Amino acid sequence: MIIDDEDKLRNLLSRIIRLEGFNVRESSDLKTARKIIEKDLPDVILCDVKLPDGNGVDFVLETRSRHPTVEIILLTAYGNIADGVQAIKNGAYDYITKGDDNEKIIPLLNRVIEKIHLKNRVTRLEKQFKKNYDFDNILGESPLILEAVSLAKKVAGTDATVLLMGETGTGKEVFAQAIHYGSKRRVHPFVALNCSTLNKELLESELFGHKEGSFTGATKEKKGLIEEANTGTLFLDEIGEMHIELQAKLLRVLETREFIKVGDTKTSKADVRIIAATNKLLLNEVNAGKFREDLYYRLNAFTIILPALRERKSDIPILANHFLKVYAEKTNPPVKSISMDFMDALKIHDWKGNIRELKNIIERSLIVSNGSELTTADLPMEFSTNDSKSNNLSAFDLAGVEKLHIQRVLNHTRNNKSETARLLNIGLSTLYRKMEEYNIP
Ligand SMILES: Nc1ncnc2c1ncn2[C@@H]1O[C@H](COP(=O)(O)OP(=O)(O)OP(=O)(O)O)[C@@H](O)[C@H]1O
Ligand SMILES: [Mg+2]
């Protein structure tokens, strides 16, 4: 949209811009311009300064605060740079001198359009991201998970340090991401670091960064993850594994947001929100002298306990059906449903690997299955035989024990018959006979 009360110049500009394939609307005063904007917001506005019913520089501020996505280029009078400068302060994209800079208009417009495309892409990706990491992705209706989600939602909007406690596969990382994407830091980085995979020296330099030459191999100054996560969130996974000397340094970060890079003499600062996770009972670590008590209490100020799957078995159908849907889209022909016996087997399983294990079991069963329904036959061997309930042979029956044992060894050798026979110390033909007798596929 072009706003200018000089008809000749406005028409000229309009022609130049139209020739490039843009749609152009024109207005000779601000009142009409506002009406057009309310009806159909343009991408870019070219605006004169002196208009019959107001000033273009003020109009920039007004429009940008009402419509932050619109880009404005101010058309200034010759020699009046001050207007242009003020317009930029008010949020204009740029300014050009009227009548003098006509050949600059098209390249400038192309740059603005590129910026708009980029912005739209970022917005789209952000929405997608939010959808992927939203609290809505945390499935489950059992009281324990609802309680955890409700606590997480409450703390998300604050800058408080959060400690997520739960067994492996209970969703600690999922929660950490949901908290970050549910906070005002969502447009800033989410940086994750697993404290158990690096030794003390490497973890320190990874976390805090290092100066050039601070140790052999430190050829360049390197930013630590705390700095990478500046203005965002730092997720410290398996915090219980952090070396006790580093724990002191982390405590300092939590208290003052200050830290010292490896090999540096001065302190650095970073604005990070910390979310920590552990699958250990940290209090036990404190009692064993492996975890600093002060750090423990600092972290423990806001703890969210993620329930083990065996503590919320009522959620198994929801989760199983969810993963079924996710993976079934990838299999051909699609497997549609879960049989009752399959679901029952899932319900009596112990789920030491929690949701991750459930997800893997569903994926695996879908690969194995050839029917339109998942049945216990699609479950891995150790799965159905681990639970005496799902095993129809009595645990004390000698034949039952023999069958079970053969199945286990077959499983161990990944169905290699001769290796299984060797381990069982029987001949290969005997193994085949027994497999037939016990109906082992
Ligand atoms: N409530 C949930 N609803 C749906 N999927 C979930 C839920 N919780 C976890 N998951 C899925 O389970 C898997 C394990 O989750 P995640 O990696 O967050 O666990 P974790 O607690 O960090 O495990 P670990 O301690 O082993 O690192 C992921 O694939 C995740 O998408
Ligand atoms: Mg994890």
Side-chain angles (χ1 to χ4, degrees), residues 172-173 235 237 356:
K172 296 185 290 292
E173 182 134 11
F235 175 49
D237 207 353
R356 184 180 296 109

Side-chain angles (χ1 to χ4, degrees), residues 281-403:
L281 270 178
L282 280 190
L283 198 55
N284 289 347
E285 303 297 299
V286 171
N287 292 335
K290 288 190 199 140
F291 203 84
R292 287 182 67 109
E293 196 173 8
D294 45 10
L295 179 58
Y296 171 71
Y297 284 112
R298 182 86 207 184
L299 291 172
N300 198 34
F302 205 102
T303 298
I304 301 176
I305 295 175
L306 304 190
L309 189 53
R310 81 186 71 81
E311 295 170 322
R312 52 173 185 125
K313 287 196 163 172
S314 60
D315 285 337
I316 288 177
I318 300 176
L319 288 162
N321 280 311
H322 166 72
F323 294 132
L324 180 79
K325 226 176 87 202
V326 171
Y327 289 116
E329 278 166 12
K330 297 181 195 160
T331 54
N332 199 17
V335 182
K336 295 270 175 352
S337 58
I338 291 178
S339 70
M340 288 253 283
D341 62 340
F342 187 94
M343 196 62 93
D344 287 344
L346 297 186
K347 283 185 195 153
I348 54 175
H349 190 64
D350 198 35
W351 299 114
K352 292 201 167 53
N354 294 293
I355 303 174
R356 184 180 296 109
E357 186 186 359
L358 176 62
K359 190 170 167 181
N360 292 343
I361 289 289
I362 301 286
E363 182 181 19
R364 185 193 177 282
S365 305
L366 278 169
I367 294 169
V368 174
S369 154
N370 358 332
S372 63
E373 208 182 44
L374 293 184
T375 67
T376 40
D378 305 322
L379 286 168
M381 204 76 85
E382 75 275 8
F383 194 93
S384 44
T385 52
N386 262 353
D387 304 298
S388 53
K389 260 203 215 159
S390 62
N391 190 345
N392 46 21
L393 287 166
S394 152
F396 300 109
D397 176 274
L398 187 58
V401 173
E402 189 170 69
K403 174 179 178 180

Side-chain angles (χ1 to χ4, degrees), residues 2-4 6-14 16-17 46-49 73-80 95-106 108:
I2 307 170
I3 315 172
D4 198 328
E6 277 174 66
D7 293 345
K8 246 172 81 189
L9 186 83
R10 195 182 65 239
N11 291 339
L12 174 69
L13 275 180
S14 167
I16 298 176
I17 296 170
L46 295 170
C47 183
D48 187 20
V49 180
I73 296 168
L74 196 76
L75 305 167
T76 62
Y78 183 76
N80 204 341
Y95 63 92
I96 49 175
T97 308
K98 245 170 88 167
D100 212 37
D101 281 347
N102 285 352
E103 74 285 356
K104 286 190 194 157
I105 286 191
I106 298 304
L108 188 58

Side-chain angles (χ1 to χ4, degrees), residues 197-212:
T197 51
L198 299 172
N199 68 25
K200 179 191 159 250
E201 282 71 29
L202 282 176
L203 184 61
E204 177 165 9
S205 106
E206 195 67 17
L207 194 54
F208 302 113
H210 61 245
K211 298 297 277 187
E212 183 187 334

